[in-house]
Amino acid sequence: MTEQQVSPTKRSTLIKLLWGGVAAFVAAICYPIFAYLRPPAVSGEKVSSVLVGAVDDFDPGSGVHFRFGNEPGLLVRLDDGSFKAFSATCTHLDCTVQYREDMGLIWCACHNGKFDLRGRNIAGPPPRPLDEFQVLIQGGEVHVKQS
Amino acid sequence: MSNNHEHRRPLRPSTFASAVTDWFDERIGVRTLIDMARKKQVPIHRHSIWYYLGGVTLFLFIIQVITGILLLFYYRPGADTAFESIRFIMTKVQFGWLVRSIHTWAANLMILAAVMHMFSVFLTKAYRKPRELTWITGVLLLALALALGFSGYLLPWNELAYFATKVGTEITGAVPFVGKHMLELLRGGPQVNDATLSRFFGFHVALFPALFTVLLGIHLLLVQKQGMSTPLNIEKKKEVKSIPFFPNFLLRDLLLWLIVLNILAILAVFFPSELGEKADPFAPAPAGIVPEWYFLFMFQILKMLPPKILFVDGDVFGVLLFGLAGLFWLLIPFLDRSSQKGLQSRNFTYIGIAAIIVVLFFTILGWVS
């Protein structure tokens, strides 16, 4: 019996095909797993405007949290009686900010980030201002709308 | 007749143990392993104390597995059930508070033991050839232990855990190019909610322990195969004393495990872990919020970074910094050429000491501020 000789070119092609097959096999296993782990787009609560409360419910120089769809919002009544509303999600690392009456500003407890009452980042690590909402007063009620 | 008489005679324990050993030896050659353990020697010198930390970490991992399984009998993942089920464990189930407290304390002590083990290996240059793979598996095990700590922290679904997870997962979102995908994969959506809790539960009780067990198996196999490393300055001495691994070193190990178990019991009983307030995704982060102590130095550094560094957001810069430092640490055995050649590499000793000082300094700063 003589050993069948395989030309180097043919051997190289076969090896490439073999590795190609292995790669395709691995991809065929991995792709569905990654696709499965990627959360599907759920039609969440789409909100364009929410009612936060009656104007008289909020004292000047106070702040209150409200729910804007799936996200927390912060409504602040300034000393002059006007309202400002922001997304309460800190622009640094996603914590929820709060109004601090003693400091007269908006504060994030996680990394000591500070924003003024216009939502501008003034101290600490936050890189951007807070996202602002539009405030509408209708019939003595405070409505907050996406800007 | 005499054969029958012998047959009826009760088997003495040593004979019985020997018979059992023979039974296994004929099938899987167990005597070879026993002989190997008997022949194995552990060097004894002034740094030998550090040899015990790996065993302590292993012991605490075993406790984690046992108490984790016990908690699983009552824990129910879900934003509406997780907090309530932990409260049920702590208030209604007999010794439930103790099981949870031991699980929490053992997690903290395990990470402490692993960190000390890692630094002792670093400073004695035990990572040098031929133990590079032992170092790599060890660093990966520590990373997995931290991941287990992080994923387990969310499971009670209290407000501290909620915000720690928000911040921790948001940090992965800061990784350039793939960050957003990683964030989504971790959270199971754009926000930390019920989906995140389900994923973290899966990570904590299945994926991470499975990976940990495989890596631990490789790590232990390498330690058994290569034996204990002797520090460079002691290796050069003509004679290094040693004791047999079995039973001398093993008995010392077991004695230390008993001491650790006592410390753990004292901590778990007198300082039981608390549950806090249930997470409310629409409430502000509470004042004084800090992560677990082993993340405190990173938390403090992120807190001190300015919003922008060289056109890059401070948090992105921080994430890149931690990523590069982690990679550097993982590749230490290949970067420290001097110790590979059997030379004292003082520069890497200074790097190790500097790393300890940085971690301690920012941890203490994070704690007091």
Side-chain angles (χ1 to χ4, degrees), chain A residues 35-44, chain B residues 184 188-190 195 199:
Chain A
Y36 176 84
L37 288 173
R38 197 168 179 193
V42 181
S43 51
Chain B
E184 208 177 54
R199 285 187 179 220

Side-chain angles (χ1 to χ4, degrees), chain A residues 37 67 94 96 98 109-110 128, chain B residues 166 187 199 285-286 299 313:
Chain A
L37 288 173
R67 192 175 167 156
D94 214 22
T96 308
Q98 57 187 289
C110 289
R128 286 178 298 283
Chain B
K166 273 195 113 178
R187 287 184 174 177
R199 285 187 179 220
F299 168 86
D313 279 359

